[in-house]
Amino acid sequence: MVSPSTSSATSSTARAEWTHARRIVVKIGSALLTDSANGQLKTTWLNSLMDDVAELKAAGKEIVIVSSGAVALGRHTLKLPKGPLELEQSQAAAAVGQIALAHAYQEMAQTRGLTAAQILLTLGDTEQRRRYLNARTTIDVLLALKAIPVVNENDTVATTEIRYGDNDRLSARVASMVSADCLVLLSDIDGLYTAPPNDDPNAQHIPLVTDITPEIEAMAGDAGTELSKGGMKTKVEAGKIALGAGTNMVITTGKILNPLRAITNGGKVTWFIAKSDPTTAKKRWLSGQLVPAGQIFVDAGAEKALMSGKSLLPAGVIRIDGTFDRGDAVIIRAADGRELGRGLIAYATADARRIMGKRSGDISEILGYEGRDTLIHRDDMALTGGANRT
Ligand code: GLU
């Protein structure tokens, strides 16, 4: 399903989870991107990866890249010593390396008629709902505009207490945030083995994981090299985040050219298959795990609109109870008090009260800023009884 030349010959060998994936997050580690001997970017390899990305884009897929490499590139330019760096040194190195990294992606995207967009995240951007909504909207808009978001941790400001620390975990958070269908972790090995294959000649490759059991976790061990923060352990941790969000994950080798094409061609990988899809997982999260901070009562017209899969507009709101911030969870109720669903609200209490009952077109005049048209977007809503569709 990639390009005509590869699809006819190979699509039968790729898993349906790959050929049907519409939104794919690809994580690239420092060890694949940079040459540890001279600290240079491996441009031949990155060009081959960007060829794959261009093919997938041409096949209608949305691609988000999570790329490491900032520290590895910058430490060389700054001539920092080999071995572990102090936090401040890593931050300085990232400041230098991130420009080079972004430049490389920009140039390589451009030569393929594509647009790269840089997104630097800190932990709070995926952990705090308000900032999560912001980051997600930006990535969604970029994808709708056919750009390729290139994400990294904002290493220059992230300190030990507030960092993801490794891009395996960051990529899983991003995949979950954007409800990706598939997360690809490009590694220095072609998947998960029962034991480290370099140490144990009897190590068996595991092609499929459907449950991350303690046995699977034990197989992951520790590992990790000087350049890459993650080993198999952080990849399995990433798997837990991804599968919990309904995102399938694949670990495969990035030590070959065109590593994504290799997945299409049925290359050797380990698949982690989620039990539900991202939409179902998100609805479960929305309806179950969040403590609602307020209640929004809607009129009959809005109730009908919600039931037909629409977002909640301010115009249909007749009463607001509670105190909440933007991004908080609220309960949506019919005029007679019946619970209709739950969702993440796009405005804090005071602003929500000011625009309730008003037309979306009047929001900017009432509030003095350009806010969202919807009070609760349908993607951020789970209707009671699972009646809604997004
Ligand atoms: N964010 C780091 C960098 O760009 C990489 C972290 C990791 O290797 O997982 O250098």
Side-chain angles (χ1 to χ4, degrees), residues 30 67-72 152-153 155 165-168 227-230:
S30 302
S67 179
S68 308
V71 176
N152 196 359
E153 179 154 20
D155 292 310
D166 67 83
N167 277 9
D168 292 327
L227 279 185
S228 55
K229 287 275 163 62

Side-chain angles (χ1 to χ4, degrees), residues 39-231:
Q40 299 298 309
L41 197 68
K42 291 185 186 163
T43 44
T44 307
W45 183 83
L46 190 54
N47 267 304
S48 84
L49 179 98
M50 291 304 284
D51 282 341
D52 292 0
V53 168
E55 283 176 6
L56 292 168
K57 292 283 290 176
K61 312 216 180 254
E62 296 175 331
I63 308 290
V64 177
I65 295 174
V66 175
S67 179
S68 308
V71 176
L73 289 173
R75 67 182 295 162
H76 178 78
T77 313
L78 291 173
K79 301 192 172 44
L80 288 165
K82 278 201 170 293
L85 297 178
E86 300 289 332
L87 177 65
E88 295 76 11
Q89 290 176 316
S90 300
Q91 291 175 320
V96 171
Q98 185 61 37
I99 303 185
L101 199 58
H103 180 68
Y105 279 106
Q106 185 186 41
E107 227 173 43
M108 290 187 190
Q110 239 163 31
T111 56
R112 290 163 179 82
L114 301 168
T115 305
Q118 174 177 265
I119 306 259
L120 297 178
L121 296 178
T122 39
L123 192 63
D125 295 321
T126 56
E127 310 305 291
Q128 292 169 17
R129 280 197 294 279
R130 197 156 26 119
R131 285 164 60 185
Y132 164 102
L133 285 186
N134 262 335
R136 194 195 60 189
T137 305
T138 308
I139 296 179
D140 272 346
V141 170
L142 285 167
L143 290 173
L145 294 170
K146 309 270 180 243
I148 304 168
V150 180
V151 183
N152 196 359
E153 179 154 20
N154 195 353
D155 292 310
T156 50
V157 294
T159 59
T160 322
E161 312 79 55
I162 58 147
R163 33 188 315 125
Y164 298 96
D166 67 83
N167 277 9
D168 292 327
R169 194 151 72 105
L170 169 63
S171 64
R173 290 279 176 223
V174 168
S176 134
M177 179 168 76
V178 302
S179 300
D181 303 302
C182 185
L183 166 64
V184 180
L185 299 182
L186 294 178
S187 173
D188 56 1
I189 186 166
D190 51 12
L192 181 67
Y193 282 75
T194 50
N198 287 341
D199 305 343
D200 185 345
N202 296 322
Q204 305 273 316
H205 178 261
I206 300 175
L208 180 67
V209 174
T210 49
D211 271 311
I212 302 183
T213 58
E215 285 82 359
I216 295 287
E217 288 187 64
M219 286 170 197
D222 275 320
T225 65
E226 187 190 309
L227 279 185
S228 55
K229 287 275 163 62

Side-chain angles (χ1 to χ4, degrees), residues 211-296:
D211 271 311
I212 302 183
T213 58
E215 285 82 359
I216 295 287
E217 288 187 64
M219 286 170 197
D222 275 320
T225 65
E226 187 190 309
L227 279 185
S228 55
K229 287 275 163 62
M232 205 39 87
K233 190 176 162 70
T234 58
K235 292 187 173 50
V236 170
E237 287 300 320
K240 286 193 207 163
I241 298 169
L243 266 51
T247 298
N248 299 313
M249 185 175 93
V250 54
I251 301 178
T252 191
T253 182
K255 287 179 90 177
I256 52 170
L257 295 180
N258 302 105
L260 301 178
R261 198 183 286 163
I263 302 175
T264 309
N265 290 350
K268 197 170 176 186
V269 306
T270 297
W271 272 101
F272 289 70
I273 300 293
K275 290 200 173 22
S276 63
D277 59 85
T279 310
T280 313
K282 189 161 167 209
K283 301 283 178 202
R284 200 172 48 228
W285 173 71
L286 277 170
S287 55
Q289 293 177 14
L290 296 171
V291 182
Q295 309 196 66
I296 310 293

